[in-house]
Amino acid sequence: DSRATATAFEVAPIRVEAGDLGLELPVRPAPIFEGRTVFDDGAPVRSIRIAAQAQDLPDLDGVPGGGGQIEATLPVVDGRFVWDRLPRGRWKLFVWTDFAKQTWQTVEVGASSEPPRFLIPRPASLAGKVLMADGEPVAGARVVAKDVKGESYSTGTNDSGEFALEGIPPGEYTVSSWIKSARTTVVDAVAHPRGLQTPDGIELRFP
């Protein structure tokens, strides 16, 4: 079962004094945390990056625990992931994938409740080439894509004049490029979610 995980244990906190000998640290199986996740358009997620920030761990004689961060890469099977490395308590969980923005929730690990559901914004990309009028690729040109809300995303071209804008929201953009005082014509383009791009990239040409 690809959803199985190795058993982890947590040490129950105890108060110790200087000079104490023969300490016994009680251990117990760590709770298995289960969550669910999909992209916000319903597409399946295959794996996630996850980070947990401690908010309120079990008290130690009235002194609240907290602080620290734990990170992992987890597989997602049928929209479900499990993690057995978090001690009981309240945690802020951040979930994301490559090129996708984080989404987060505060959860109670060890409590009986419905598994939280994380909707990850599905990333999109735009790619293409910047060329001179004679077809010669332009290296080091700046490429800017602006969406309908006026938000801009930029990148540069490589030695072959190629560029790629990754992790941008899906939707319609106007794309242009410039180098020094010269600027290309403006091209309308649609950023598709990763995996759904059209085979033809954007072509920007300097006059």
Side-chain angles (χ1 to χ4, degrees):
D1 185 348
S2 60
R3 292 172 294 183
T5 61
T7 301
F9 295 90
E10 61 180 356
V11 179
I14 63 172
R15 172 79 64 182
V16 298
E17 300 291 342
D20 285 350
L21 298 176
L23 296 178
E24 292 187 4
L25 299 177
V27 298
R28 60 192 176 191
I32 294 178
F33 174 78
E34 178 181 333
R36 302 186 182 280
T37 185
V38 293
F39 285 116
D40 55 5
D41 62 357
V45 176
R46 303 303 180 192
S47 67
I48 58 169
R49 291 287 299 162
I50 187 168
Q53 293 179 355
Q55 301 296 298
D56 187 11
L57 302 186
D59 286 359
L60 175 60
D61 287 351
V63 180
Q69 178 167 300
I70 305 173
E71 296 188 16
T73 299
L74 302 176
V76 179
V77 180
D78 296 330
R80 172 179 176 264
F81 66 90
V82 293
W83 201 9
D84 65 351
R85 293 297 187 268
L86 295 180
R88 291 169 174 79
R90 187 158 53 88
W91 295 80
K92 182 181 284 187
L93 296 187
F94 298 83
V95 175
W96 72 98
T97 64
D98 289 342
F99 304 111
K101 294 181 179 180
Q102 292 181 342
T103 182
W104 66 272
Q105 294 185 43
T106 299
V107 302
E108 197 75 30
V109 175
S112 298
S113 59
E114 280 292 312
R117 187 166 182 256
F118 295 85
L119 290 177
I120 300 176
R122 193 174 189 191
S125 64
L126 287 171
K129 278 189 172 185
V130 177
L131 306 171
M132 296 301 292
D134 60 2
E136 187 72 17
V138 180
R142 202 69 188 158
V143 178
V144 175
K146 183 177 291 187
D147 65 16
V148 294
K149 297 179 181 178
E151 292 288 335
S152 295
Y153 305 86
S154 64
T155 188
T157 59
N158 61 18
D159 291 342
S160 299
E162 300 169 336
F163 68 88
L165 281 164
E166 301 278 8
I168 62 177
E172 298 179 353
Y173 290 83
T174 56
V175 188
S176 61
S177 177
W178 76 87
I179 187 168
K180 296 182 179 179
S181 60
R183 182 171 180 169
T184 64
T185 55
V186 177
V187 173
D188 293 328
V190 177
H192 295 281
R194 287 178 59 81
L196 298 179
Q197 296 99 324
T198 56
D200 297 327
I202 302 166
E203 186 176 288
L204 300 172
R205 283 184 180 263
F206 284 97

